[in-house]
């Protein structure tokens, strides 16, 4: 309990101080469509550059399958940016129901945990913690709860500042989003690795996830691989509006 209290405090510190605000980076995303034997049948790779729009982070497409975006890609990108600006405006007016993932007391209350021991991550000591849902009938207050209520896995927690530095997890039973009308996942396995910047805080470095199920009216079975690179501290990174 004392360890988790410190982890929550550390997460709250990150939300309040936003130490990543002065960093830029690139996000590399690979989406692999898989067949029933987990073999890749389609592959797409995109690279995004982080910029800031009205002081909020936005990932702008800069490359697709190793080439600059086509005219059609740029049209799609313009629509995506317009939607992003619309959500920003709704959030400022208090009209948005956009519910992000937050590591807080409400989230932690869903799980029972057990300290498995100690490990070393990126040369720093870490505690290893197993977590699993307390019951199969947890309350659903936000859309994301339909997933988090059914996740189990392990966390690696920095033994010095109590940041989460690594995580692995999977669904222990199928999860439906929007009563199954938006998505119905039968498999979700993920692993996340963090990187320490400025010797003071962590940002994601890579994330691997395998999804199987149905999204809207289409079946999906895919692997998504995210890599974050080229972290650069830049005091002028905050941009007002589009740089285009």
């Amino acid at each position: 309990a004392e360890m988790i209290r410190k982890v929550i405090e550390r997460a709250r510190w990150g939300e309040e101080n936003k130490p990543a605000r002065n960093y830029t980076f690139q996000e590399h995303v690979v989406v692999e469509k898989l067949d029933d034997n987990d073999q890749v049948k389609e592959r797409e790779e995109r690279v995004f550059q982080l910029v800031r729009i009205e002081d909020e982070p936005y990932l702008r497409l800069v490359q697709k399958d190793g080439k600059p975006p086509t005219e059609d890609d740029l049209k799609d990108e313009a629509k995506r940016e317009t939607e992003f600006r619309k959500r920003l405006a709704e959030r400022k007016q208090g009209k948005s129901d956009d519910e992000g993932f937050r590591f807080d007391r409400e989230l932690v209350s869903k799980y029972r945990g057990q300290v498995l021991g100690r490990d070393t991550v990126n040369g720093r000591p870490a505690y290893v913690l197993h977590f699993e849902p307390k019951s199969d009938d947890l309350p659903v207050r936000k859309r994301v709860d339909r997933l988090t209520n059914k996740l189990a896995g392990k966390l690696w927690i920095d033994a010095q500042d109590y940041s989460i530095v690594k995580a692995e997890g999977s669904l222990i039973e199928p999860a439906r989003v929007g009563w199954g009308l938006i998505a119905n996942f039968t498999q979700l396995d993920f692993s996340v690795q963090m990187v320490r910047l400025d010797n003071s805080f962590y940002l994601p470095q890579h994330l691997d996830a395998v999804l199987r199920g149905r999204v809207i009216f289409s079946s999906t079975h895919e692997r998504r691989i995210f890599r974050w690179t080229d972290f650069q501290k830049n005091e002028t990174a905050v941009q007002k509006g589009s740089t285009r």
Side-chain angles (χ1 to χ4, degrees):
E2 178 66 11
M3 181 190 302
I4 291 302
R5 182 187 66 80
K6 292 181 178 180
V7 175
I8 293 173
E9 287 181 355
R10 183 63 177 177
R12 185 183 302 119
W13 175 89
E15 290 183 3
E16 293 175 351
N17 292 275
K18 296 179 172 57
R21 183 176 297 277
N22 294 325
Y23 277 82
T24 62
F25 54 81
Q26 286 195 336
E27 179 183 88
H28 302 249
V29 183
V30 175
V31 178
E32 297 177 338
K33 302 292 185 180
L34 307 176
D35 61 21
D36 292 338
N37 297 316
D38 291 334
Q39 298 300 307
V40 179
K41 59 181 183 179
E42 293 181 32
R43 187 178 190 275
E44 180 181 273
E45 183 173 358
R46 298 184 182 223
V47 179
F48 300 86
Q49 177 65 46
L50 181 138
V51 299
R52 290 192 177 269
I53 296 176
E54 298 183 20
D55 211 14
E56 293 296 328
Y58 177 79
L59 291 164
R60 179 169 291 146
L61 181 68
V62 296
Q63 194 177 94
K64 180 179 177 181
D65 293 328
K67 300 177 181 179
T70 65
E71 184 175 341
D72 287 342
D73 293 331
L74 294 176
K75 288 180 180 178
D76 291 340
E77 177 67 17
K79 293 179 182 178
R80 191 169 68 90
E81 185 169 322
T82 298
E83 286 297 315
F84 178 82
R85 292 177 181 275
K86 180 180 177 181
R87 289 196 300 273
L88 285 182
E90 291 175 347
R91 191 183 306 166
K92 289 181 179 180
Q93 297 172 11
K95 298 179 181 179
S96 175
D97 60 355
D98 191 15
E99 301 164 339
F101 176 87
R102 297 180 63 184
F103 193 97
D104 55 17
R105 196 169 300 281
E106 180 180 342
L107 176 68
V108 169
S109 67
K110 298 173 181 291
Y111 305 105
R112 64 171 61 95
Q114 178 185 3
V115 178
L116 300 179
R118 295 171 70 101
D119 198 356
T120 301
V121 181
N122 292 330
R124 292 173 61 88
Y127 300 109
V128 185
L129 178 71
H130 174 265
F131 67 91
E132 62 183 11
K134 287 182 177 178
S135 79
D136 58 2
D137 189 27
L138 294 170
V140 176
R141 299 186 178 92
K142 299 179 294 186
R143 183 178 297 173
V144 70
D145 291 343
R146 297 191 181 279
L147 287 177
T148 57
N149 286 359
K150 301 179 185 300
L151 285 177
K154 293 192 292 186
L155 299 177
W156 283 255
I157 298 169
D158 190 298
Q160 296 176 11
D161 69 11
Y162 294 91
S163 297
I164 296 175
V165 297
K166 184 178 175 182
E168 296 177 354
S170 59
L171 286 176
I172 58 175
E173 61 180 87
R176 296 185 300 170
V177 179
W179 305 105
L181 298 176
I182 296 176
N184 191 346
F185 296 109
T186 57
Q187 178 185 5
L188 169 58
D189 302 315
F190 71 89
S191 63
V192 184
Q193 178 84 39
M194 311 294 281
V195 61
R196 190 170 179 87
L197 297 177
D198 211 19
N199 199 31
S200 62
F201 71 99
Y202 288 88
L203 283 180
Q205 186 175 40
H206 70 253
L207 183 155
D208 296 348
V210 176
L211 301 163
R212 187 195 295 264
R214 183 176 55 80
V215 178
I216 309 299
F217 300 111
S218 300
S219 297
T220 183
H221 182 201
E222 62 187 38
R223 177 184 297 114
R224 296 195 176 199
I225 305 167
F226 296 81
R227 297 289 183 271
W228 292 273
T229 64
D230 299 325
F231 293 97
Q232 296 183 24
K233 194 171 184 179
N234 181 3
E235 299 296 338
T236 63
V238 177
Q239 303 179 31
K240 299 295 185 180
S242 173
T243 59
R244 206 174 277 171

